[in-house]
PDB file of all heavy atoms in Angstrom:
ATOM      1  N   GLU A   1       9.491  -8.212   0.557  1.00 98.00           N
ATOM      2  CA  GLU A   1      10.042  -7.074  -0.170  1.00 98.00           C
ATOM      3  C   GLU A   1       9.089  -6.609  -1.267  1.00 98.00           C
ATOM      4  O   GLU A   1       8.914  -5.406  -1.495  1.00 98.00           O
ATOM      5  CB  GLU A   1      11.399  -7.448  -0.775  1.00 98.00           C
ATOM      6  CG  GLU A   1      12.143  -6.264  -1.385  1.00 98.00           C
ATOM      7  CD  GLU A   1      12.304  -5.112  -0.413  1.00 98.00           C
ATOM      8  OE1 GLU A   1      12.626  -5.359   0.763  1.00 98.00           O
ATOM      9  OE2 GLU A   1      12.081  -3.947  -0.841  1.00 98.00           O
ATOM     10  N   GLN A   2       8.457  -7.551  -1.946  1.00 98.00           N
ATOM     11  CA  GLN A   2       7.477  -7.183  -2.969  1.00 98.00           C
ATOM     12  C   GLN A   2       6.275  -6.473  -2.342  1.00 98.00           C
ATOM     13  O   GLN A   2       5.734  -5.526  -2.913  1.00 98.00           O
ATOM     14  CB  GLN A   2       7.016  -8.433  -3.731  1.00 98.00           C
ATOM     15  CG  GLN A   2       8.067  -9.008  -4.664  1.00 98.00           C
ATOM     16  CD  GLN A   2       7.636 -10.350  -5.246  1.00 98.00           C
ATOM     17  OE1 GLN A   2       7.076 -11.202  -4.550  1.00 98.00           O
ATOM     18  NE2 GLN A   2       7.906 -10.556  -6.531  1.00 98.00           N
ATOM     19  N   MET A   3       5.867  -6.936  -1.178  1.00 98.00           N
ATOM     20  CA  MET A   3       4.769  -6.274  -0.473  1.00 98.00           C
ATOM     21  C   MET A   3       5.128  -4.834  -0.145  1.00 98.00           C
ATOM     22  O   MET A   3       4.329  -3.908  -0.380  1.00 98.00           O
ATOM     23  CB  MET A   3       4.440  -7.032   0.824  1.00 98.00           C
ATOM     24  CG  MET A   3       3.860  -8.409   0.635  1.00 98.00           C
ATOM     25  SD  MET A   3       3.693  -9.251   2.239  1.00 98.00           S
ATOM     26  CE  MET A   3       3.139 -10.876   1.706  1.00 98.00           C
ATOM     27  N   ARG A   4       6.314  -4.632   0.399  1.00 98.00           N
ATOM     28  CA  ARG A   4       6.748  -3.270   0.737  1.00 98.00           C
ATOM     29  C   ARG A   4       6.760  -2.385  -0.500  1.00 98.00           C
ATOM     30  O   ARG A   4       6.349  -1.229  -0.452  1.00 98.00           O
ATOM     31  CB  ARG A   4       8.140  -3.294   1.368  1.00 98.00           C
ATOM     32  CG  ARG A   4       8.211  -3.911   2.753  1.00 98.00           C
ATOM     33  CD  ARG A   4       9.572  -3.680   3.391  1.00 98.00           C
ATOM     34  NE  ARG A   4       9.691  -4.391   4.652  1.00 98.00           N
ATOM     35  CZ  ARG A   4      10.226  -5.595   4.786  1.00 98.00           C
ATOM     36  NH1 ARG A   4      10.711  -6.225   3.728  1.00 98.00           N
ATOM     37  NH2 ARG A   4      10.288  -6.175   5.974  1.00 98.00           N
ATOM     38  N   ASP A   5       7.228  -2.932  -1.607  1.00 98.00           N
ATOM     39  CA  ASP A   5       7.315  -2.159  -2.838  1.00 98.00           C
ATOM     40  C   ASP A   5       5.926  -1.758  -3.334  1.00 98.00           C
ATOM     41  O   ASP A   5       5.707  -0.612  -3.761  1.00 98.00           O
ATOM     42  CB  ASP A   5       8.043  -2.976  -3.908  1.00 98.00           C
ATOM     43  CG  ASP A   5       8.258  -2.196  -5.188  1.00 98.00           C
ATOM     44  OD1 ASP A   5       8.995  -1.186  -5.159  1.00 98.00           O
ATOM     45  OD2 ASP A   5       7.685  -2.576  -6.228  1.00 98.00           O
ATOM     46  N   GLU A   6       4.972  -2.691  -3.295  1.00 98.00           N
ATOM     47  CA  GLU A   6       3.599  -2.399  -3.719  1.00 98.00           C
ATOM     48  C   GLU A   6       3.022  -1.211  -2.949  1.00 98.00           C
ATOM     49  O   GLU A   6       2.347  -0.348  -3.520  1.00 98.00           O
ATOM     50  CB  GLU A   6       2.706  -3.623  -3.489  1.00 98.00           C
ATOM     51  CG  GLU A   6       2.881  -4.727  -4.494  1.00 98.00           C
ATOM     52  CD  GLU A   6       2.010  -4.546  -5.739  1.00 98.00           C
ATOM     53  OE1 GLU A   6       0.885  -4.014  -5.615  1.00 98.00           O
ATOM     54  OE2 GLU A   6       2.457  -4.938  -6.817  1.00 98.00           O
ATOM     55  N   ILE A   7       3.273  -1.205  -1.644  1.00 98.00           N
ATOM     56  CA  ILE A   7       2.681  -0.171  -0.796  1.00 98.00           C
ATOM     57  C   ILE A   7       3.459   1.132  -0.891  1.00 98.00           C
ATOM     58  O   ILE A   7       2.872   2.213  -1.044  1.00 98.00           O
ATOM     59  CB  ILE A   7       2.627  -0.659   0.670  1.00 98.00           C
ATOM     60  CG1 ILE A   7       1.774  -1.919   0.769  1.00 98.00           C
ATOM     61  CG2 ILE A   7       2.066   0.439   1.568  1.00 98.00           C
ATOM     62  CD1 ILE A   7       0.404  -1.820   0.145  1.00 98.00           C
ATOM     63  N   SER A   8       4.785   1.053  -0.817  1.00 98.00           N
ATOM     64  CA  SER A   8       5.575   2.287  -0.799  1.00 98.00           C
ATOM     65  C   SER A   8       5.452   3.055  -2.107  1.00 98.00           C
ATOM     66  O   SER A   8       5.321   4.293  -2.106  1.00 98.00           O
ATOM     67  CB  SER A   8       7.039   1.980  -0.491  1.00 98.00           C
ATOM     68  OG  SER A   8       7.622   1.172  -1.502  1.00 98.00           O
ATOM     69  N   ARG A   9       5.467   2.356  -3.231  1.00 98.00           N
ATOM     70  CA  ARG A   9       5.334   3.047  -4.524  1.00 98.00           C
ATOM     71  C   ARG A   9       3.988   3.758  -4.623  1.00 98.00           C
ATOM     72  O   ARG A   9       3.900   4.895  -5.102  1.00 98.00           O
ATOM     73  CB  ARG A   9       5.491   2.060  -5.680  1.00 98.00           C
ATOM     74  CG  ARG A   9       6.886   1.509  -5.852  1.00 98.00           C
ATOM     75  CD  ARG A   9       6.928   0.471  -6.952  1.00 98.00           C
ATOM     76  NE  ARG A   9       6.774   1.067  -8.283  1.00 98.00           N
ATOM     77  CZ  ARG A   9       6.626   0.351  -9.399  1.00 98.00           C
ATOM     78  NH1 ARG A   9       6.588  -0.975  -9.337  1.00 98.00           N
ATOM     79  NH2 ARG A   9       6.511   0.951 -10.557  1.00 98.00           N
ATOM     80  N   THR A  10       2.942   3.074  -4.163  1.00 98.00           N
ATOM     81  CA  THR A  10       1.606   3.674  -4.233  1.00 98.00           C
ATOM     82  C   THR A  10       1.490   4.858  -3.295  1.00 98.00           C
ATOM     83  O   THR A  10       0.976   5.924  -3.666  1.00 98.00           O
ATOM     84  CB  THR A  10       0.538   2.625  -3.905  1.00 98.00           C
ATOM     85  OG1 THR A  10       0.701   1.504  -4.783  1.00 98.00           O
ATOM     86  CG2 THR A  10      -0.855   3.193  -4.078  1.00 98.00           C
ATOM     87  N   SER A  11       1.971   4.703  -2.066  1.00 98.00           N
ATOM     88  CA  SER A  11       1.897   5.815  -1.112  1.00 98.00           C
ATOM     89  C   SER A  11       2.710   7.014  -1.593  1.00 98.00           C
ATOM     90  O   SER A  11       2.286   8.167  -1.430  1.00 98.00           O
ATOM     91  CB  SER A  11       2.379   5.370   0.268  1.00 98.00           C
ATOM     92  OG  SER A  11       1.422   4.535   0.896  1.00 98.00           O
ATOM     93  N   GLU A  12       3.855   6.743  -2.198  1.00 98.00           N
ATOM     94  CA  GLU A  12       4.701   7.848  -2.661  1.00 98.00           C
ATOM     95  C   GLU A  12       4.037   8.654  -3.767  1.00 98.00           C
ATOM     96  O   GLU A  12       4.064   9.891  -3.745  1.00 98.00           O
ATOM     97  CB  GLU A  12       6.046   7.297  -3.149  1.00 98.00           C
ATOM     98  CG  GLU A  12       6.977   6.883  -2.019  1.00 98.00           C
ATOM     99  CD  GLU A  12       8.185   6.102  -2.525  1.00 98.00           C
ATOM    100  OE1 GLU A  12       8.382   6.036  -3.767  1.00 98.00           O
ATOM    101  OE2 GLU A  12       8.919   5.550  -1.682  1.00 98.00           O
ATOM    102  N   ILE A  13       3.415   7.977  -4.727  1.00 98.00           N
ATOM    103  CA  ILE A  13       2.796   8.716  -5.827  1.00 98.00           C
ATOM    104  C   ILE A  13       1.543   9.441  -5.337  1.00 98.00           C
ATOM    105  O   ILE A  13       1.266  10.574  -5.762  1.00 98.00           O
ATOM    106  CB  ILE A  13       2.504   7.804  -7.037  1.00 98.00           C
ATOM    107  CG1 ILE A  13       2.166   8.665  -8.272  1.00 98.00           C
ATOM    108  CG2 ILE A  13       1.404   6.800  -6.753  1.00 98.00           C
ATOM    109  CD1 ILE A  13       2.116   7.882  -9.564  1.00 98.00           C
ATOM    110  N   ILE A  14       0.794   8.828  -4.418  1.00 98.00           N
ATOM    111  CA  ILE A  14      -0.372   9.511  -3.860  1.00 98.00           C
ATOM    112  C   ILE A  14       0.061  10.758  -3.093  1.00 98.00           C
ATOM    113  O   ILE A  14      -0.523  11.840  -3.247  1.00 98.00           O
ATOM    114  CB  ILE A  14      -1.175   8.560  -2.952  1.00 98.00           C
ATOM    115  CG1 ILE A  14      -1.911   7.514  -3.798  1.00 98.00           C
ATOM    116  CG2 ILE A  14      -2.180   9.343  -2.087  1.00 98.00           C
ATOM    117  CD1 ILE A  14      -2.601   6.431  -2.989  1.00 98.00           C
ATOM    118  N   THR A  15       1.103  10.627  -2.291  1.00 98.00           N
ATOM    119  CA  THR A  15       1.587  11.762  -1.514  1.00 98.00           C
ATOM    120  C   THR A  15       2.090  12.877  -2.419  1.00 98.00           C
ATOM    121  O   THR A  15       1.869  14.065  -2.144  1.00 98.00           O
ATOM    122  CB  THR A  15       2.706  11.315  -0.554  1.00 98.00           C
ATOM    123  OG1 THR A  15       2.212  10.267   0.289  1.00 98.00           O
ATOM    124  CG2 THR A  15       3.183  12.466   0.308  1.00 98.00           C
ATOM    125  N   SER A  16       2.737  12.502  -3.521  1.00 98.00           N
ATOM    126  CA  SER A  16       3.270  13.520  -4.433  1.00 98.00           C
ATOM    127  C   SER A  16       2.153  14.333  -5.078  1.00 98.00           C
ATOM    128  O   SER A  16       2.343  15.508  -5.402  1.00 98.00           O
ATOM    129  CB  SER A  16       4.127  12.861  -5.518  1.00 98.00           C
ATOM    130  OG  SER A  16       3.325  12.136  -6.450  1.00 98.00           O
ATOM    131  N   VAL A  17       0.985  13.714  -5.248  1.00 98.00           N
ATOM    132  CA  VAL A  17      -0.148  14.406  -5.876  1.00 98.00           C
ATOM    133  C   VAL A  17      -0.979  15.153  -4.844  1.00 98.00           C
ATOM    134  O   VAL A  17      -1.426  16.282  -5.089  1.00 98.00           O
ATOM    135  CB  VAL A  17      -1.044  13.400  -6.637  1.00 98.00           C
ATOM    136  CG1 VAL A  17      -2.290  14.098  -7.180  1.00 98.00           C
ATOM    137  CG2 VAL A  17      -0.273  12.747  -7.766  1.00 98.00           C
ATOM    138  N   THR A  18      -1.201  14.535  -3.680  1.00 98.00           N
ATOM    139  CA  THR A  18      -2.137  15.093  -2.702  1.00 98.00           C
ATOM    140  C   THR A  18      -1.481  15.894  -1.588  1.00 98.00           C
ATOM    141  O   THR A  18      -2.151  16.691  -0.923  1.00 98.00           O
ATOM    142  CB  THR A  18      -2.949  13.965  -2.038  1.00 98.00           C
ATOM    143  OG1 THR A  18      -2.080  13.167  -1.217  1.00 98.00           O
ATOM    144  CG2 THR A  18      -3.610  13.080  -3.086  1.00 98.00           C
ATOM    145  N   GLY A  19      -0.189  15.644  -1.341  1.00 98.00           N
ATOM    146  CA  GLY A  19       0.471  16.282  -0.210  1.00 98.00           C
ATOM    147  C   GLY A  19       0.139  15.633   1.122  1.00 98.00           C
ATOM    148  O   GLY A  19       0.500  16.144   2.188  1.00 98.00           O
ATOM    149  N   ARG A  20      -0.535  14.497   1.085  1.00 97.00           N
ATOM    150  CA  ARG A  20      -0.939  13.771   2.299  1.00 97.00           C
ATOM    151  C   ARG A  20      -0.604  12.303   2.129  1.00 97.00           C
ATOM    152  O   ARG A  20      -0.936  11.695   1.120  1.00 97.00           O
ATOM    153  CB  ARG A  20      -2.442  13.926   2.534  1.00 97.00           C
ATOM    154  CG  ARG A  20      -3.022  13.048   3.654  1.00 97.00           C
ATOM    155  CD  ARG A  20      -4.545  13.129   3.653  1.00 97.00           C
ATOM    156  NE  ARG A  20      -5.162  12.196   4.587  1.00 97.00           N
ATOM    157  CZ  ARG A  20      -5.412  10.914   4.319  1.00 97.00           C
ATOM    158  NH1 ARG A  20      -5.086  10.407   3.131  1.00 97.00           N
ATOM    159  NH2 ARG A  20      -5.980  10.134   5.225  1.00 97.00           N
ATOM    160  N   GLU A  21       0.051  11.717   3.133  1.00 97.00           N
ATOM    161  CA  GLU A  21       0.374  10.302   3.086  1.00 97.00           C
ATOM    162  C   GLU A  21      -0.867   9.462   3.396  1.00 97.00           C
ATOM    163  O   GLU A  21      -1.621   9.789   4.308  1.00 97.00           O
ATOM    164  CB  GLU A  21       1.469   9.966   4.095  1.00 97.00           C
ATOM    165  CG  GLU A  21       2.829  10.533   3.751  1.00 97.00           C
ATOM    166  CD  GLU A  21       3.891  10.020   4.699  1.00 97.00           C
ATOM    167  OE1 GLU A  21       3.622   9.031   5.414  1.00 97.00           O
ATOM    168  OE2 GLU A  21       4.981  10.601   4.715  1.00 97.00           O
ATOM    169  N   PRO A  22      -1.095   8.386   2.654  1.00 98.00           N
ATOM    170  CA  PRO A  22      -2.217   7.506   2.978  1.00 98.00           C
ATOM    171  C   PRO A  22      -2.105   6.948   4.393  1.00 98.00           C
ATOM    172  O   PRO A  22      -1.004   6.722   4.907  1.00 98.00           O
ATOM    173  CB  PRO A  22      -2.101   6.389   1.934  1.00 98.00           C
ATOM    174  CG  PRO A  22      -1.393   7.034   0.791  1.00 98.00           C
ATOM    175  CD  PRO A  22      -0.407   7.977   1.421  1.00 98.00           C
ATOM    176  N   VAL A  23      -3.254   6.734   4.990  1.00 97.00           N
ATOM    177  CA  VAL A  23      -3.347   6.184   6.340  1.00 97.00           C
ATOM    178  C   VAL A  23      -3.894   4.762   6.305  1.00 97.00           C
ATOM    179  O   VAL A  23      -3.537   3.933   7.127  1.00 97.00           O
ATOM    180  CB  VAL A  23      -4.264   7.072   7.211  1.00 97.00           C
ATOM    181  CG1 VAL A  23      -4.463   6.466   8.601  1.00 97.00           C
ATOM    182  CG2 VAL A  23      -3.696   8.481   7.305  1.00 97.00           C
ATOM    183  N   PHE A  24      -4.751   4.487   5.312  1.00 97.00           N
ATOM    184  CA  PHE A  24      -5.450   3.206   5.227  1.00 97.00           C
ATOM    185  C   PHE A  24      -5.008   2.419   3.992  1.00 97.00           C
ATOM    186  O   PHE A  24      -4.583   2.989   2.990  1.00 97.00           O
ATOM    187  CB  PHE A  24      -6.963   3.437   5.139  1.00 97.00           C
ATOM    188  CG  PHE A  24      -7.542   4.132   6.333  1.00 97.00           C
ATOM    189  CD1 PHE A  24      -7.780   5.506   6.301  1.00 97.00           C
ATOM    190  CD2 PHE A  24      -7.850   3.433   7.494  1.00 97.00           C
ATOM    191  CE1 PHE A  24      -8.327   6.154   7.401  1.00 97.00           C
ATOM    192  CE2 PHE A  24      -8.395   4.077   8.592  1.00 97.00           C
ATOM    193  CZ  PHE A  24      -8.628   5.442   8.540  1.00 97.00           C
ATOM    194  N   PHE A  25      -5.179   1.106   4.085  1.00 98.00           N
ATOM    195  CA  PHE A  25      -4.875   0.196   2.986  1.00 98.00           C
ATOM    196  C   PHE A  25      -6.000  -0.819   2.866  1.00 98.00           C
ATOM    197  O   PHE A  25      -6.389  -1.465   3.849  1.00 98.00           O
ATOM    198  CB  PHE A  25      -3.556  -0.535   3.261  1.00 98.00           C
ATOM    199  CG  PHE A  25      -3.295  -1.719   2.373  1.00 98.00           C
ATOM    200  CD1 PHE A  25      -3.197  -1.568   0.999  1.00 98.00           C
ATOM    201  CD2 PHE A  25      -3.130  -2.996   2.921  1.00 98.00           C
ATOM    202  CE1 PHE A  25      -2.951  -2.669   0.176  1.00 98.00           C
ATOM    203  CE2 PHE A  25      -2.872  -4.093   2.106  1.00 98.00           C
ATOM    204  CZ  PHE A  25      -2.787  -3.929   0.729  1.00 98.00           C
ATOM    205  N   ARG A  26      -6.554  -0.923   1.661  1.00 98.00           N
ATOM    206  CA  ARG A  26      -7.508  -2.008   1.412  1.00 98.00           C
ATOM    207  C   ARG A  26      -6.816  -3.063   0.555  1.00 98.00           C
ATOM    208  O   ARG A  26      -6.427  -2.789  -0.586  1.00 98.00           O
ATOM    209  CB  ARG A  26      -8.774  -1.523   0.722  1.00 98.00           C
ATOM    210  CG  ARG A  26      -9.745  -2.693   0.458  1.00 98.00           C
ATOM    211  CD  ARG A  26     -11.106  -2.217  -0.001  1.00 98.00           C
ATOM    212  NE  ARG A  26     -11.913  -1.719   1.094  1.00 98.00           N
ATOM    213  CZ  ARG A  26     -12.597  -0.578   1.071  1.00 98.00           C
ATOM    214  NH1 ARG A  26     -12.561   0.198   0.016  1.00 98.00           N
ATOM    215  NH2 ARG A  26     -13.323  -0.218   2.112  1.00 98.00           N
ATOM    216  N   PRO A  27      -6.639  -4.267   1.071  1.00 98.00           N
ATOM    217  CA  PRO A  27      -5.943  -5.315   0.315  1.00 98.00           C
ATOM    218  C   PRO A  27      -6.749  -5.725  -0.915  1.00 98.00           C
ATOM    219  O   PRO A  27      -7.969  -5.907  -0.829  1.00 98.00           O
ATOM    220  CB  PRO A  27      -5.858  -6.481   1.311  1.00 98.00           C
ATOM    221  CG  PRO A  27      -6.117  -5.881   2.649  1.00 98.00           C
ATOM    222  CD  PRO A  27      -7.027  -4.726   2.413  1.00 98.00           C
ATOM    223  N   PRO A  28      -6.110  -5.870  -2.065  1.00 98.00           N
ATOM    224  CA  PRO A  28      -6.817  -6.377  -3.242  1.00 98.00           C
ATOM    225  C   PRO A  28      -7.479  -7.726  -2.928  1.00 98.00           C
ATOM    226  O   PRO A  28      -6.857  -8.599  -2.313  1.00 98.00           O
ATOM    227  CB  PRO A  28      -5.704  -6.541  -4.278  1.00 98.00           C
ATOM    228  CG  PRO A  28      -4.677  -5.539  -3.878  1.00 98.00           C
ATOM    229  CD  PRO A  28      -4.706  -5.533  -2.376  1.00 98.00           C
ATOM    230  N   TYR A  29      -8.717  -7.859  -3.328  1.00 96.00           N
ATOM    231  CA  TYR A  29      -9.508  -9.079  -3.123  1.00 96.00           C
ATOM    232  C   TYR A  29      -9.717  -9.403  -1.637  1.00 96.00           C
ATOM    233  O   TYR A  29     -10.180 -10.485  -1.297  1.00 96.00           O
ATOM    234  CB  TYR A  29      -8.865 -10.281  -3.832  1.00 96.00           C
ATOM    235  CG  TYR A  29      -8.435  -9.986  -5.242  1.00 96.00           C
ATOM    236  CD1 TYR A  29      -7.083  -9.892  -5.571  1.00 96.00           C
ATOM    237  CD2 TYR A  29      -9.374  -9.757  -6.245  1.00 96.00           C
ATOM    238  CE1 TYR A  29      -6.683  -9.603  -6.879  1.00 96.00           C
ATOM    239  CE2 TYR A  29      -8.979  -9.465  -7.541  1.00 96.00           C
ATOM    240  CZ  TYR A  29      -7.633  -9.382  -7.844  1.00 96.00           C
ATOM    241  OH  TYR A  29      -7.237  -9.088  -9.124  1.00 96.00           O
ATOM    242  N   ILE A  30      -9.351  -8.479  -0.765  1.00 96.00           N
ATOM    243  CA  ILE A  30      -9.374  -8.691   0.691  1.00 96.00           C
ATOM    244  C   ILE A  30      -8.590  -9.952   1.068  1.00 96.00           C
ATOM    245  O   ILE A  30      -8.957 -10.719   1.965  1.00 96.00           O
ATOM    246  CB  ILE A  30     -10.821  -8.743   1.253  1.00 96.00           C
ATOM    247  CG1 ILE A  30     -11.656  -7.630   0.637  1.00 96.00           C
ATOM    248  CG2 ILE A  30     -10.821  -8.573   2.771  1.00 96.00           C
ATOM    249  CD1 ILE A  30     -11.208  -6.228   0.935  1.00 96.00           C
ATOM    250  N   CYS A  31      -7.496 -10.185   0.351  1.00 97.00           N
ATOM    251  CA  CYS A  31      -6.593 -11.302   0.641  1.00 97.00           C
ATOM    252  C   CYS A  31      -5.477 -10.807   1.555  1.00 97.00           C
ATOM    253  O   CYS A  31      -4.765  -9.849   1.204  1.00 97.00           O
ATOM    254  CB  CYS A  31      -6.001 -11.873  -0.643  1.00 97.00           C
ATOM    255  SG  CYS A  31      -7.193 -12.707  -1.702  1.00 97.00           S
ATOM    256  N   VAL A  32      -5.317 -11.444   2.699  1.00 97.00           N
ATOM    257  CA  VAL A  32      -4.291 -11.019   3.651  1.00 97.00           C
ATOM    258  C   VAL A  32      -3.595 -12.237   4.249  1.00 97.00           C
ATOM    259  O   VAL A  32      -4.128 -13.345   4.246  1.00 97.00           O
ATOM    260  CB  VAL A  32      -4.893 -10.174   4.793  1.00 97.00           C
ATOM    261  CG1 VAL A  32      -5.490  -8.884   4.259  1.00 97.00           C
ATOM    262  CG2 VAL A  32      -5.942 -10.959   5.568  1.00 97.00           C
ATOM    263  N   ASN A  33      -2.390 -11.997   4.755  1.00 97.00           N
ATOM    264  CA  ASN A  33      -1.700 -13.009   5.556  1.00 97.00           C
ATOM    265  C   ASN A  33      -0.841 -12.295   6.596  1.00 97.00           C
ATOM    266  O   ASN A  33      -0.774 -11.057   6.638  1.00 97.00           O
ATOM    267  CB  ASN A  33      -0.881 -13.965   4.680  1.00 97.00           C
ATOM    268  CG  ASN A  33       0.235 -13.273   3.913  1.00 97.00           C
ATOM    269  OD1 ASN A  33       0.576 -12.106   4.173  1.00 97.00           O
ATOM    270  ND2 ASN A  33       0.818 -13.976   2.957  1.00 97.00           N
ATOM    271  N   ASP A  34      -0.201 -13.072   7.447  1.00 96.00           N
ATOM    272  CA  ASP A  34       0.569 -12.490   8.547  1.00 96.00           C
ATOM    273  C   ASP A  34       1.711 -11.622   8.045  1.00 96.00           C
ATOM    274  O   ASP A  34       2.047 -10.597   8.659  1.00 96.00           O
ATOM    275  CB  ASP A  34       1.105 -13.585   9.468  1.00 96.00           C
ATOM    276  CG  ASP A  34       0.010 -14.233  10.308  1.00 96.00           C
ATOM    277  OD1 ASP A  34      -1.070 -13.613  10.442  1.00 96.00           O
ATOM    278  OD2 ASP A  34       0.234 -15.353  10.813  1.00 96.00           O
ATOM    279  N   ASP A  35       2.350 -12.027   6.940  1.00 97.00           N
ATOM    280  CA  ASP A  35       3.453 -11.227   6.404  1.00 97.00           C
ATOM    281  C   ASP A  35       2.989  -9.824   6.033  1.00 97.00           C
ATOM    282  O   ASP A  35       3.705  -8.838   6.251  1.00 97.00           O
ATOM    283  CB  ASP A  35       4.067 -11.901   5.173  1.00 97.00           C
ATOM    284  CG  ASP A  35       4.943 -13.089   5.531  1.00 97.00           C
ATOM    285  OD1 ASP A  35       5.280 -13.245   6.729  1.00 97.00           O
ATOM    286  OD2 ASP A  35       5.296 -13.859   4.621  1.00 97.00           O
ATOM    287  N   MET A  36       1.796  -9.712   5.466  1.00 97.00           N
ATOM    288  CA  MET A  36       1.273  -8.402   5.100  1.00 97.00           C
ATOM    289  C   MET A  36       1.078  -7.542   6.343  1.00 97.00           C
ATOM    290  O   MET A  36       1.430  -6.357   6.363  1.00 97.00           O
ATOM    291  CB  MET A  36      -0.026  -8.541   4.319  1.00 97.00           C
ATOM    292  CG  MET A  36       0.157  -9.159   2.937  1.00 97.00           C
ATOM    293  SD  MET A  36      -1.411  -9.553   2.117  1.00 97.00           S
ATOM    294  CE  MET A  36      -2.083  -7.912   1.846  1.00 97.00           C
TER     295      MET A  36
END
């Protein structure tokens, strides 16, 4: 749920400014796991 919130909040504010939804995500520190 925290992961979803991190991404959705960021995509929403970017979309509100640019009019375009993000397509790509770069993980902070390039840290990833299966849940992400």
Side-chain angles (χ1 to χ4, degrees):
E1 188 54 43
Q2 288 172 318
M3 293 174 185
R4 291 190 186 94
D5 184 64
E6 284 273 326
I7 300 308
S8 63
R9 291 176 71 188
T10 305
S11 287
E12 285 169 9
I13 193 169
I14 288 173
T15 303
S16 71
V17 175
T18 68
R20 172 189 173 276
E21 291 187 15
V23 176
F24 298 98
F25 166 61
R26 179 170 282 133
Y29 314 109
I30 316 297
C31 292
V32 297
N33 63 12
D34 288 341
D35 285 347
M36 292 171 67

